[in-house]
Amino acid sequence: MVEKQKVLVAPSLLSADFCNLKSEMDNLQSADMLHLDVMDNHFVPNLTFGFPIIESIRKNTKMPLDAHLMVESPEEYVDRLAMIGVEYISFHLEATVHAHRLLAKIKSLGIKAGIALNPGTSACLLEPLLAEVDFVLLMSVNPGFGGQKFLPLVYDKLSYLRPYKEKFGFLLQVDGGVSDKNCQSLVEAGVDILVAGNFVFQGDYKQNIARLKL
């Protein structure tokens, strides 16, 4: 019998109630990590939380923190995030001209290093970097806002990346429009980490997380 793949669920705190953030995190204990959408209103047309909020999140949870940098000059964020104690950092290939150098810097700090791709960016551009990444984050919506419709074009990228995943051992993460309607097909396509915002934070959080874990 083939062993069932274990999928990790990372609720996106972008969808949380920030007036009750500690309580929100307490209700997410059945998840595997917390996803932090860091936006600067330049790389994407939205501004979210900065270092003080991330520091507060770190002080109030022992869960691994996964920082997705939707920012210009992501290299300027890495040292501070390392000091805070973030365990995963991904940055956009489109946001830096020295992706290989930045991957090396993140890994040198003992942090899992990932590269994110916008829906309109070809996965083949990652090929020179795939031996160095710990994970690849594929956006299945255009970044900047929660609650968007899932873009199925992500499946083509998963098909392209899966042989490289098997060769190099990195993880595949998908973010955007993830729900119980598509989680099974995403895991079957090779996804290891499901990032979900609106789906998790509507109704019973624990039950919703369990539904994503199949």
Side-chain angles (χ1 to χ4, degrees), residues 194-214:
L194 296 170
V195 177
N198 278 18
F199 176 76
V200 168
F201 288 90
Q202 293 179 357
D204 186 311
Y205 297 1
K206 185 175 181 179
Q207 184 179 80
N208 292 339
I209 290 167
R211 288 160 72 186
L212 291 177
K213 291 190 175 188
L214 308 175

Side-chain angles (χ1 to χ4, degrees), residues 105-119:
K105 171 66 179 294
I106 294 169
K107 294 173 76 168
S108 75
L109 295 169
I111 298 169
K112 299 292 185 184
I115 295 186
L117 284 186
N118 285 330

Side-chain angles (χ1 to χ4, degrees), residues 36-54:
L36 310 177
D37 291 301
V38 182
M39 308 181 195
D40 64 356
N41 202 34
H42 295 287
F43 183 72
V44 293
N46 196 6
L47 181 66
T48 57
F49 40 81
F51 296 123
I53 296 295
I54 299 173

Side-chain angles (χ1 to χ4, degrees), residues 24-212:
E24 293 279 71
M25 291 190 295
D26 289 343
N27 288 328
L28 297 170
Q29 292 303 308
S30 61
D32 299 286
M33 61 183 73
L34 297 177
H35 189 79
L36 310 177
D37 291 301
V38 182
M39 308 181 195
D40 64 356
N41 202 34
H42 295 287
F43 183 72
V44 293
N46 196 6
L47 181 66
T48 57
F49 40 81
F51 296 123
I53 296 295
I54 299 173
E55 287 176 346
S56 180
I57 291 169
R58 176 73 292 166
K59 290 175 183 177
N60 284 280
T61 183
K62 294 182 179 179
M63 296 180 70
L65 300 182
D66 171 28
H68 174 196
L69 300 181
M70 288 174 270
V71 300
E72 294 180 354
S73 304
E75 55 276 359
E76 297 178 4
Y77 290 70
V78 169
D79 285 323
R80 183 77 178 272
L81 290 173
M83 290 177 61
I84 292 171
V86 168
E87 286 87 353
Y88 296 75
I89 294 176
S90 58
F91 61 90
H92 276 260
L93 183 66
E94 304 91 348
T96 182
V97 294
H98 298 296
H100 188 276
R101 179 185 297 167
L102 186 51
L103 284 172
K105 171 66 179 294
I106 294 169
K107 294 173 76 168
S108 75
L109 295 169
I111 298 169
K112 299 292 185 184
I115 295 186
L117 284 186
N118 285 330
T121 303
S122 174
C124 68
L125 296 175
L126 288 176
E127 187 173 356
L129 302 167
L130 291 175
E132 307 300 326
V133 298
D134 293 306
F135 65 104
V136 173
L137 168 54
L138 298 177
M139 295 301 299
S140 44
V141 299
N142 287 296
F145 300 93
Q148 297 183 65
K149 185 177 179 181
F150 177 83
L151 298 173
L153 56 78
V154 74
Y155 289 107
D156 291 335
K157 292 182 180 180
L158 290 168
S159 295
Y160 175 83
L161 290 170
R162 194 165 189 174
Y164 291 99
K165 169 191 168 178
E166 293 171 356
K167 179 178 180 180
F168 296 120
F170 57 81
L171 301 178
L172 287 171
Q173 184 180 62
V174 167
D175 180 5
V178 172
S179 72
D180 58 344
K181 301 293 191 297
N182 53 30
C183 61
Q184 183 171 350
S185 61
L186 286 169
V187 172
E188 290 172 352
V191 174
D192 304 284
I193 305 172
L194 296 170
V195 177
N198 278 18
F199 176 76
V200 168
F201 288 90
Q202 293 179 357
D204 186 311
Y205 297 1
K206 185 175 181 179
Q207 184 179 80
N208 292 339
I209 290 167
R211 288 160 72 186
L212 291 177

